[in-house]
Amino acid sequence: MIHSHAATMSNQLHNTSSLIFSVEESGNDSLTLTTELQPLAVNPWDVVVCVAGTLVSFENAVVIALIVYTPTLRAPMFVLIGCLAFADLLAGLSLIVNFVVIYMLDTGLVTLLSAGLLITAFSASVLTILAITVDRYLSLYNALTYHTERTVCFTYFTLVLIWLTSAALGSLPVLGWNCLEEEATCSICWPVNKNNAATLAVTFLLVFALILQLYLQICKIAFRHAQQIAVQHHFMTTAHVSSTTKGVSTLSIILGTFAVCWIPFAMYSLVADGRYPAIYAYATALPAICHSFINPIIYAFRNPDIQRSLKLACCGCLPPSFTMRPRTPSDV
C-alpha cells in the first residue's frame, strides 16, 4: 500500500516479463529458443518499510506480553495501552504482509485486503491514542469517581467502538473505494483512491484536533490543582512546580511527536496523488510508521509498573528502591 502507482506498475511489468526469451544460432544453422529467468527488482524503500514493520512488531509484542503475563496490570489505563500495542503490532505485521503481497501475491483482491488491513491497524492506533487522552482527562476531571466499575465498562465499550470504526475505514477499499479500474483516481497509497485517502486524512486531522483540545484542558486542570495547593499551603513548593512543569513538558513531547509523525503524511495525502514521485510518499509515510515504534516508549516503557514487569522478565530481580504504588492515567 505504501508505494506509488508508478512503482506498482513497474512491479507488474517485472512480473509479466520475468521470462526473457532469446534466440541463439546453433552449429547446424538452426535456431534454438532459450529462456532466462530474470529476478524481480526490489525497491529499497519497500525493504526499509518492511524492516520498520518488523521492529514495530517486535517492540509492541514485548509490551503485550508484559501486560498479559503481569496480573497487576489490569487497570483501564493498561487495557488501553495494551490495545495501542496490539494495534501497532498489527500495523507492523501488515507492513510485512504488504511487502509479500507487492512482490509475490500482487493480485487485485489480495492487494485490497492488504490495504484494508493496514488502514484498520493504523486507524486503531490513532483512535486508541485519542481514547488514552480521554482516559487521562477523565481521571483528572472526575478523580473521585474514576476508579469505579463504570469506568471499566466505559473502557471496554470504547475499545469495541475503536475497532468497529477502524474496521469500517479499512473496508472502504474492498467496498469499491479503490483505483484498480480507474488509474486516474489513485492516491499516493495504491490502490486507495483519492476520496478514500481524503477521508482518512480529514479523520486524522479531526482526531488530532480533539487530542490537542483535551490536552489543553488537562493542562488547565493541572495548573488549577497546583494553584489550589499553593493557596492551601500559602506557597507553591518546589516539588509542585517541578511536577507541573514535568507534566506540561511530557504533554508537549506527546503532542509534538504525534504532529511531526502524522501531519506531513495526512497533508500530503490531501494534495498529492499517484502521479507524484514515489519518494515523497515514502518520505512522509515513514515518520508515521515510526510513530508506532515510538508509542511503546511514550505510553508503556515510561510507566514504572511496566518498567518493573520488564525488569522482572529480563533479570528476575528489582533494585531495592523500585516499589509499586497506586497510579493514575495521568502518570502514564
Side-chain angles (χ1 to χ4, degrees):
M1 175 187 171
I2 312 293
H3 63 293
S4 68
H5 178 62
T8 303
M9 295 299 295
S10 176
N11 288 335
Q12 292 174 346
L13 289 176
H14 283 296
N15 288 335
T16 56
S17 60
S18 57
L19 284 176
I20 306 299
F21 293 90
S22 61
V23 179
E24 296 180 355
E25 184 177 355
S26 59
N28 54 0
D29 295 332
S30 62
L31 297 179
T32 302
L33 184 66
T34 61
T35 62
E36 179 183 355
L37 185 63
Q38 298 292 329
L40 286 177
V42 178
N43 188 335
W45 283 101
D46 289 331
V47 176
V48 172
V49 169
C50 185
V51 171
T54 304
L55 295 176
V56 167
S57 301
F58 174 78
E59 185 185 30
N60 285 280
V62 171
V63 175
I64 294 174
L66 290 174
I67 294 176
V68 169
Y69 290 104
T70 306
T72 56
L73 303 180
R74 295 293 182 269
M77 63 175 176
F78 293 115
V79 174
L80 291 173
I81 292 174
C83 178
L84 177 61
F86 178 76
D88 287 332
L89 170 64
L90 184 62
L93 294 176
S94 301
L95 292 171
I96 300 173
V97 171
N98 186 64
F99 181 85
V100 175
V101 169
I102 293 174
Y103 293 100
M104 299 181 186
L105 302 171
D106 197 4
T107 61
L109 179 60
V110 176
T111 300
L112 292 177
L113 291 175
S114 175
L117 186 61
L118 273 170
I119 293 173
T120 299
F122 281 107
S123 297
S125 177
V126 172
L127 291 176
T128 304
I129 292 176
L130 173 61
I132 291 175
T133 308
V134 172
D135 186 66
R136 288 178 170 180
Y137 173 75
L138 293 177
S139 70
L140 294 174
Y141 186 77
N142 297 321
L144 296 178
T145 61
Y146 175 78
H147 298 282
T148 61
E149 188 69 23
R150 192 172 74 173
T151 302
V152 177
C153 295
F154 176 76
T155 300
Y156 285 104
F157 173 78
T158 301
L159 295 185
V160 172
L161 186 61
I162 285 172
W163 285 101
L164 286 177
T165 304
S166 302
L169 292 173
S171 65
L172 292 179
V174 181
L175 295 177
W177 286 36
N178 62 73
C179 60
L180 290 181
E181 297 181 357
E182 298 183 32
E183 299 177 4
T185 64
C186 283
S187 68
I188 61 172
C189 297
W190 191 87
V192 177
N193 64 17
K194 295 177 183 178
N195 292 334
N196 193 349
T199 300
L200 296 173
V202 171
T203 301
F204 163 79
L205 293 175
L206 290 176
V207 169
F208 177 74
L210 286 173
I211 292 175
L212 179 60
Q213 179 63 27
L214 285 169
Y215 273 130
L216 290 176
Q217 294 300 321
I218 290 174
C219 288
K220 289 181 180 179
I221 295 174
F223 280 117
R224 189 184 306 128
H225 287 176
Q227 290 175 352
Q228 291 174 350
I229 293 174
V231 170
Q232 292 175 358
H233 296 276
H234 303 290
F235 65 94
M236 185 174 290
T237 64
T238 304
H240 293 150
V241 175
S242 176
S243 177
T244 304
T245 303
K246 181 180 178 181
V248 173
S249 300
T250 301
L251 296 182
S252 300
I253 292 173
I254 293 173
L255 282 173
T257 303
F258 191 67
V260 169
C261 290
W262 274 105
I263 286 183
F265 183 67
M267 297 303 295
Y268 188 66
S269 298
L270 286 174
V271 300
D273 54 36
R275 297 170 297 178
Y276 283 60
I279 188 172
Y280 297 143
Y282 285 108
T284 54
L286 278 176
I289 295 171
C290 289
H291 193 257
S292 292
F293 185 84
I294 298 172
N295 281 338
I297 300 173
I298 293 178
Y299 295 98
F301 295 136
R302 289 177 57 253
N303 182 275
D305 294 339
I306 294 181
Q307 289 177 6
R308 178 178 185 273
S309 300
L310 183 61
K311 288 180 180 293
L312 279 173
C314 292
C315 60
C317 60
L318 289 173
S321 60
F322 216 105
T323 58
M324 182 82 79
R325 70 177 179 86
R327 308 191 69 83
T328 65
S330 57
D331 294 327
V332 179

